[in-house]
Amino acid sequence: MGEGVSVCCPSCGSRHTLTASVYPCVCGAGVAPALSGDARVEAVTRRAWADEWVTVRCAACAREGQWPRPELGCPCGAMLRIAVEPDTAEPLPPGSFVPGSFGPGAVTAESVTAEPVAAEEPAPELPSHIPLPRTAASPRPGFRPVTIRTARDAVSTAALYLRWLGFKSVVESGEPLETGIRTPGARTPGVGLRGPDVIAQVDPTTGPASLRSVECLWLNGMNASTTSVYFSLAGYADDARARADDLGLPLFVLDLTGAPQPVNGPAEELISSGA
């Protein structure tokens, strides 16, 4: 958790300690919004999806990401939101090493020479996510698909597939997953599946899964400290798939023959390693 600050509720005058949650950057470093005790505190009276997020720059790699805005519930019933300080992290100087800054164009001490050198062939572009190699034969038997004819079949197939991957006691939650950021009525389409070490969302609708649905599932997995997996019958929007790659969220498409197909690197890694 980040450093806590004392805030005063504008509705009842009581004081509380607000602590910003720390989230993992794609480089592995922890990121948390900077809070100030003298920052403006307001009671949240209306919700807008754009207001739920704040841009924070990672001090380790200088990447900017969108993270949930810090909030605190007061016993009087008010939901408090504190203004986040502007990002004060200094950008890295040109030529500094940033995780992932490899390949053509990277500046190193060895690349600075007195004599001109011939231009090298550009290195092939590396994929954003490289699946882990399979180091041993999988002990799991082949998955037995079940033909999907209804939405109920899609949910049952996803549950069977998670158990085949090694997740135990997977059951339906009976309703879509909530966003986890206290937005009234904000739910993702489909049905949620839960187990002791996994949260999954099954979307049997005819439209591609949205960016918001992917981010909501990831937030639920973060809150529960479990693996998150998404199953969709109609695939994913381009921005939803890109965001899932950044977050390391496995995405599967439910084939009507009943065999879930991985659509990104994290999904292929999950198949290789299992639960």
Side-chain angles (χ1 to χ4, degrees):
M1 303 294 285
E3 184 177 351
V5 296
S6 178
V7 296
C8 179
C9 175
S11 298
C12 66
S14 58
R15 300 199 68 85
H16 309 282
T17 299
L18 176 61
T19 303
S21 298
V22 178
Y23 297 96
C25 177
V26 293
C27 74
V31 179
L35 303 180
S36 173
D38 56 1
R40 179 172 53 88
V41 178
E42 61 180 11
V44 180
T45 57
R46 58 181 295 277
R47 290 285 188 180
W49 180 251
D51 296 336
E52 305 293 342
W53 307 90
V54 61
T55 300
V56 182
R57 182 147 43 96
C58 176
C61 69
R63 290 183 177 91
E64 289 188 345
Q66 296 289 318
W67 304 103
R69 188 179 297 274
E71 292 183 351
L72 174 69
C74 180
C76 73
M79 180 61 66
L80 309 182
R81 176 183 295 161
I82 186 171
V84 176
E85 291 183 341
D87 196 348
T88 56
E90 293 294 332
L92 297 179
S96 296
F97 173 75
V98 175
S101 60
F102 52 86
V107 179
T108 63
E110 291 78 5
S111 67
V112 180
T113 62
E115 297 294 331
V117 295
E120 295 183 357
E121 291 281 340
E125 184 178 354
L126 296 177
S128 60
H129 207 98
I130 303 176
L132 294 176
R134 187 185 294 272
T135 57
S138 172
R140 300 188 303 270
F143 178 72
R144 303 179 110 185
V146 178
T147 303
I148 297 177
R149 297 185 178 88
T150 65
R152 173 59 52 193
D153 293 338
V155 176
S156 300
T157 296
L160 289 172
Y161 195 76
L162 289 172
R163 297 187 190 111
W164 176 76
L165 288 172
F167 296 104
K168 306 300 182 183
S169 305
V170 177
V171 297
E172 292 182 32
S173 64
E175 58 183 3
L177 297 177
E178 298 180 351
T179 63
I181 54 176
R182 305 187 184 94
T183 304
R187 295 168 180 261
T188 57
V191 176
L193 297 173
R194 294 181 182 272
D197 50 359
V198 67
I199 290 180
Q201 185 71 12
V202 185
D203 184 357
T205 61
T206 57
S210 66
L211 169 66
R212 174 183 171 278
S213 298
V214 166
E215 290 180 331
C216 287
L217 175 61
W218 177 77
L219 284 173
N220 275 274
M222 286 287 296
N223 290 337
S225 298
T226 60
T227 300
S228 301
V229 185
Y230 207 116
F231 296 88
S232 174
L233 198 62
Y236 302 85
D238 291 341
D239 55 354
R241 180 168 176 176
R243 185 62 168 155
D245 289 341
D246 292 340
L247 299 173
L249 179 69
L251 302 180
F252 290 88
V253 168
L254 292 170
D255 191 305
L256 292 180
T257 62
Q261 301 297 323
V263 297
N264 65 349
E268 293 175 353
E269 288 184 13
L270 182 59
I271 294 175
S272 297
S273 61

